[in-house]
Amino acid sequence: MNSFELGDESAPFFPLPPQFILPKDKRPQLSEVTSLDSIPIIDLSDPSSSLVVQKISRACEEYGFFQIVNHGVPEQVCNKMMTAITDLFNLPPEKRKELYTTDHTKNTKLYNYYLHVEGGEKVKMWSECFSHSWYPIEDVIHLLPQEIRTQYGEAFSEYAREIGSLVRRVIGLVAIGLGIEEDCLVKIFGDEPRLRAQANLYPACPDPELTLGLPVHTDINLLTVVLQSQVSGLQVIKDGKWIAVPAIPNAFVINLGDQMQVLSNGRFKSVHHRAVTNKYGPRVSMAMFYGPNLETMIGPIKELIDEEHPPRYRSYRFSEFLEEFYNQEGSRRMVKEVFELPN
């Protein structure tokens, strides 16, 4: 960790430390971001399931992102999870330091993202991230400081159970929208999908124009479910322009990962997104990732391939995809593009 601590409440009153300042061409250009147009909001309680599928399909084709409301996950479960995350990030620096690592192979880790810039330098992102697997939660909580173990373990176990059900439901609706069997995608991923959680803290920032909370990226998994506090910061690229994703009470942001784009043979999109910072207060989010395990074979689903729609990607084992992902660390990753077939 640096001598400068992200959790320092007085941070917004000081100049942004140089290790967080991006080169001019990498800065977020916040004045150019639009909030007039944003990602679709879909009500899962709509009595017309065919209309829900239609809306989800359109969102997957045009945005790669959508928000869901009336999803059935109790508000209390979400609030408990957000409280547990906030308390973890509010631990004193010396306690958080015990979890900090730069070893990406560790299952449970607190870390920072960074971006490689010209000259071989690394620019650190204005955030802290805490990542671990969904199960078994015992492997995670025994590493946590004593004062938050029980609270975090209980909150996460309950939350993961609810999100697991929601993920399967949403993936089923996405599959129907593709014109394949409802359980087709879940079957491809088998009994042991790769389930990861990532809690993010974006403290109030003295100069949001100079830095980012998370760099521009796509997700490498199949699908991500994001719970965010009532401070917006997520932005998605659409038609070459950045659009802000509003923080809506009791909503989840759903975004498609690279494996969904490959499996759908390019019909459904995994798009670049980023997190920006703000001067006014901290933002917290929890991302739950559903993806393939290392041995899973990924490629365009055969029912989606014909003479008019030849395969756009070659098949690969997910471990190969992950290796390419880590090879591109610190850059604006373009991983799925490596597996594209020539036209």
Side-chain angles (χ1 to χ4, degrees), residues 20 22-33 207-214 216 235 242 274-277:
F20 296 95
L22 289 163
K24 283 186 179 177
D25 65 328
K26 305 286 186 189
R27 292 175 190 173
Q29 313 289 336
L30 296 175
S31 61
E32 296 176 13
V33 175
D207 198 338
E209 286 283 1
L210 299 181
T211 191
L212 284 168
L214 284 183
V216 178
Q235 297 181 349
W242 287 104
R274 67 186 184 182
V276 298
T277 62

Side-chain angles (χ1 to χ4, degrees), residues 224-236:
T224 308
V225 179
V226 181
L227 176 65
Q228 48 181 354
S229 57
Q230 294 309 299
V231 180
S232 60
L234 177 62
Q235 297 181 349
V236 177

